[in-house]
Amino acid sequence: LFLATVTPAAAARSAPPDPAAKRYEECVALTRSDPAKAVEVADAWRIGGGLLAGKCLGLAYVAQERWGPATVAFEQAAREAEIVRDGRAAEMWVMAGNAALAGGDAATARGYLDRALALPVLTPAMRGEAYMDRARAQVEVNNLPAARGDLNEALKLVPKDPMGWLLSATLARRQNDGPRARADIAEAQRLA
């Protein structure tokens, strides 16, 4: 009965601060103000820092648009999360996929996104976004039918995301489906 009367805010106030979470927040803040320093801090923290250190390292590389090292940092964080059965592995695979895609390595991105989507922990919204990301990778490797399948899944999961409709319209144009492209553009405009 007592547990039912404790509000989440009260529980948070009574819980001791998580030093790793605080260190992560400081590291992420550093990625915005001094990404090079954030790389140094996160890299030093990797020894014993676990997933949060790896995630911060990846974000620091992203802030510098160093896609290759960002991909590696997120991949290592994802593997580490899988080993310790941390539910954030899927999120790390998505981040690795996006970094690989930004770096022009669509085939690797697709593999990472496959791993993320294979895990049952993504929320429907995150799953929809991952399908959109994988569709982009599918287009880059010229697998348009697979891209269409991924975008259709994404639109089921995140039907109010105008970017999904815009991507779908762009793909429809590439597939010479004018009516679908027009309908999807209209939906993207309506939502935007």
Side-chain angles (χ1 to χ4, degrees), residues 60-87:
Y61 284 130
V62 165
Q64 297 177 317
E65 297 184 8
R66 294 176 60 195
W67 307 117
T71 300
V72 170
F74 291 135
E75 177 191 3
Q76 289 173 345
R79 290 185 189 285
E80 191 169 324
E82 284 182 342
I83 289 168
V84 298
R85 301 202 189 288
D86 184 312

Side-chain angles (χ1 to χ4, degrees), residues 3-27:
L3 291 177
T5 62
V6 176
T7 66
R13 283 191 304 268
S14 66
D18 180 357
K22 183 175 180 349
R23 190 169 182 182
Y24 172 74
E25 288 172 13
E26 291 169 354
C27 185

